[in-house]
Short mmCIF file of all heavy atoms in Angstrom, two decimals:
data_model
loop_
_atom_site.label_atom_id
_atom_site.label_comp_id
_atom_site.label_asym_id
_atom_site.label_seq_id
_atom_site.Cartn_x
_atom_site.Cartn_y
_atom_site.Cartn_z
N ASP A 11 -3.97 11.61 -20.78
CA ASP A 11 -2.87 12.54 -20.89
C ASP A 11 -2.99 13.52 -19.73
O ASP A 11 -3.94 13.49 -18.94
CB ASP A 11 -2.99 13.25 -22.23
CG ASP A 11 -1.88 14.28 -22.51
OD1 ASP A 11 -0.78 13.95 -22.19
OD2 ASP A 11 -2.14 15.41 -22.84
N SER A 12 -2.00 14.45 -19.69
CA SER A 12 -2.12 15.50 -18.64
C SER A 12 -3.16 16.55 -18.96
O SER A 12 -3.55 17.35 -18.12
CB SER A 12 -0.74 16.13 -18.48
OG SER A 12 -0.38 16.76 -19.67
N GLY A 13 -3.53 16.67 -20.26
CA GLY A 13 -4.45 17.70 -20.65
C GLY A 13 -4.95 17.49 -22.04
O GLY A 13 -5.41 16.40 -22.42
N GLY A 15 -3.19 17.43 -24.87
CA GLY A 15 -2.21 16.79 -25.79
C GLY A 15 -2.76 15.46 -26.36
O GLY A 15 -2.60 15.21 -27.54
N GLY A 16 -3.39 14.66 -25.50
CA GLY A 16 -3.87 13.31 -25.99
C GLY A 16 -4.94 13.44 -27.02
O GLY A 16 -5.22 12.44 -27.66
N HIS A 40 -3.08 18.35 -12.74
CA HIS A 40 -1.64 18.15 -12.51
C HIS A 40 -0.77 18.50 -13.70
O HIS A 40 0.39 18.16 -13.72
CB HIS A 40 -1.42 16.64 -12.20
CG HIS A 40 -2.11 16.26 -10.92
ND1 HIS A 40 -2.93 15.14 -10.77
CD2 HIS A 40 -2.12 16.82 -9.67
CE1 HIS A 40 -3.40 15.06 -9.54
NE2 HIS A 40 -2.94 16.05 -8.84
N VAL A 41 -1.38 19.11 -14.76
CA VAL A 41 -0.56 19.52 -15.91
C VAL A 41 0.35 20.68 -15.49
O VAL A 41 -0.07 21.54 -14.69
CB VAL A 41 -1.48 19.91 -17.12
CG1 VAL A 41 -2.26 21.16 -16.86
CG2 VAL A 41 -0.69 19.98 -18.41
N PRO A 42 1.65 20.75 -15.89
CA PRO A 42 2.33 19.80 -16.76
C PRO A 42 2.94 18.60 -16.07
O PRO A 42 3.36 18.71 -14.88
CB PRO A 42 3.39 20.67 -17.41
CG PRO A 42 3.73 21.68 -16.37
CD PRO A 42 2.46 21.90 -15.61
N TYR A 43 3.01 17.50 -16.73
CA TYR A 43 3.63 16.28 -16.19
C TYR A 43 5.18 16.35 -16.29
O TYR A 43 5.95 15.72 -15.52
CB TYR A 43 3.20 15.02 -17.01
CG TYR A 43 1.87 14.43 -16.52
CD1 TYR A 43 1.31 13.43 -17.34
CD2 TYR A 43 1.22 14.84 -15.38
CE1 TYR A 43 0.18 12.79 -16.91
CE2 TYR A 43 0.02 14.25 -14.95
CZ TYR A 43 -0.57 13.27 -15.75
OH TYR A 43 -1.67 12.61 -15.36
N GLY A 44 5.63 17.06 -17.36
CA GLY A 44 7.08 17.04 -17.69
C GLY A 44 8.06 17.23 -16.55
O GLY A 44 9.04 16.54 -16.49
N PRO A 45 7.83 18.23 -15.65
CA PRO A 45 8.80 18.46 -14.57
C PRO A 45 8.63 17.45 -13.39
O PRO A 45 9.39 17.66 -12.42
CB PRO A 45 8.49 19.93 -14.15
CG PRO A 45 7.38 20.38 -15.00
CD PRO A 45 6.78 19.23 -15.71
N ALA A 73 -1.89 8.16 -24.18
CA ALA A 73 -1.90 9.27 -25.15
C ALA A 73 -0.96 10.39 -24.66
O ALA A 73 -1.29 11.54 -24.79
CB ALA A 73 -3.29 9.74 -25.44
N CYS A 74 0.15 10.00 -24.09
CA CYS A 74 1.00 10.93 -23.40
C CYS A 74 2.45 10.39 -23.51
O CYS A 74 2.76 9.20 -23.12
CB CYS A 74 0.66 10.98 -21.92
SG CYS A 74 1.87 11.81 -20.87
N GLY A 75 3.37 11.23 -24.06
CA GLY A 75 4.74 10.76 -24.33
C GLY A 75 5.45 10.49 -22.99
O GLY A 75 6.22 9.52 -22.86
N THR A 76 5.16 11.32 -21.99
CA THR A 76 5.82 11.14 -20.71
C THR A 76 5.46 9.80 -20.05
O THR A 76 6.32 9.10 -19.55
CB THR A 76 5.42 12.35 -19.77
OG1 THR A 76 5.70 13.58 -20.48
CG2 THR A 76 6.21 12.34 -18.50
N ASN A 77 4.17 9.54 -20.03
CA ASN A 77 3.73 8.21 -19.44
C ASN A 77 4.15 7.01 -20.30
O ASN A 77 4.47 5.97 -19.75
CB ASN A 77 2.21 8.20 -19.27
CG ASN A 77 1.87 8.84 -17.89
OD1 ASN A 77 2.05 8.23 -16.81
ND2 ASN A 77 1.39 10.03 -17.90
N LEU A 96 3.40 5.21 -26.99
CA LEU A 96 3.80 5.87 -28.26
C LEU A 96 5.25 5.62 -28.65
O LEU A 96 5.64 5.83 -29.79
CB LEU A 96 3.64 7.40 -28.06
CG LEU A 96 2.21 7.88 -27.74
CD1 LEU A 96 2.27 9.15 -26.92
CD2 LEU A 96 1.47 8.15 -29.02
N THR A 118 9.20 16.29 -23.31
CA THR A 118 9.19 16.88 -21.97
C THR A 118 10.54 16.47 -21.31
O THR A 118 11.22 15.57 -21.70
CB THR A 118 8.06 16.35 -21.08
OG1 THR A 118 8.22 14.99 -20.89
CG2 THR A 118 6.71 16.64 -21.72
N GLU A 119 10.85 17.23 -20.24
CA GLU A 119 12.10 16.89 -19.48
C GLU A 119 12.06 15.43 -19.02
O GLU A 119 13.07 14.76 -19.15
CB GLU A 119 12.23 17.75 -18.23
CG GLU A 119 12.12 19.24 -18.44
CD GLU A 119 10.68 19.73 -18.11
OE1 GLU A 119 9.75 19.34 -18.94
OE2 GLU A 119 10.47 20.43 -17.19
N THR A 121 10.52 12.85 -20.29
CA THR A 121 10.65 11.88 -21.41
C THR A 121 12.13 11.87 -21.81
O THR A 121 12.72 10.79 -22.04
CB THR A 121 9.76 12.33 -22.57
OG1 THR A 121 8.40 12.27 -22.14
CG2 THR A 121 9.94 11.43 -23.81
N VAL A 149 4.28 22.95 -23.42
CA VAL A 149 2.98 22.39 -22.90
C VAL A 149 2.08 23.48 -22.28
O VAL A 149 0.93 23.65 -22.65
CB VAL A 149 3.19 21.18 -21.97
CG1 VAL A 149 1.90 20.85 -21.21
CG2 VAL A 149 3.62 19.98 -22.77
N GLY A 184 7.90 14.17 -29.46
CA GLY A 184 7.81 13.13 -28.44
C GLY A 184 6.89 13.45 -27.35
O GLY A 184 6.81 12.79 -26.36
N CYS A 185 6.14 14.55 -27.52
CA CYS A 185 5.05 14.92 -26.55
C CYS A 185 3.81 15.13 -27.36
O CYS A 185 3.82 15.82 -28.38
CB CYS A 185 5.49 16.15 -25.82
SG CYS A 185 4.14 16.94 -24.90
N THR A 186 2.67 14.69 -26.84
CA THR A 186 1.47 14.67 -27.64
C THR A 186 0.88 16.10 -27.82
O THR A 186 -0.05 16.29 -28.60
CB THR A 186 0.41 13.69 -27.08
OG1 THR A 186 0.24 13.96 -25.69
CG2 THR A 186 0.83 12.26 -27.25
N HIS A 187 1.37 17.03 -27.00
CA HIS A 187 0.91 18.43 -27.18
C HIS A 187 1.59 19.04 -28.43
O HIS A 187 1.07 19.99 -28.97
CB HIS A 187 1.36 19.30 -25.98
CG HIS A 187 0.44 19.12 -24.77
ND1 HIS A 187 0.51 17.99 -23.95
CD2 HIS A 187 -0.50 19.92 -24.21
CE1 HIS A 187 -0.32 18.12 -22.99
NE2 HIS A 187 -1.02 19.29 -23.10
N1 LIG B 301 1.33 15.41 -23.44
C1 LIG B 301 2.12 14.75 -22.49
C2 LIG B 301 3.33 14.24 -23.16
O1 LIG B 301 3.28 13.72 -24.13
C3 LIG B 301 2.31 15.47 -21.21
C4 LIG B 301 3.10 16.81 -21.25
C5 LIG B 301 3.08 17.46 -19.90
O2 LIG B 301 2.06 17.57 -19.23
O3 LIG B 301 4.19 17.99 -19.54
O4 LIG B 301 4.42 14.18 -22.65
#
Side-chain angles (χ1 to χ4, degrees):
D11 179 46
S12 61
H40 297 129
V41 67
Y43 276 172
C74 169
T76 307
N77 274 287
L96 301 148
T118 66
E119 308 94 293
T121 297
V149 167
C185 166
T186 52
H187 283 75

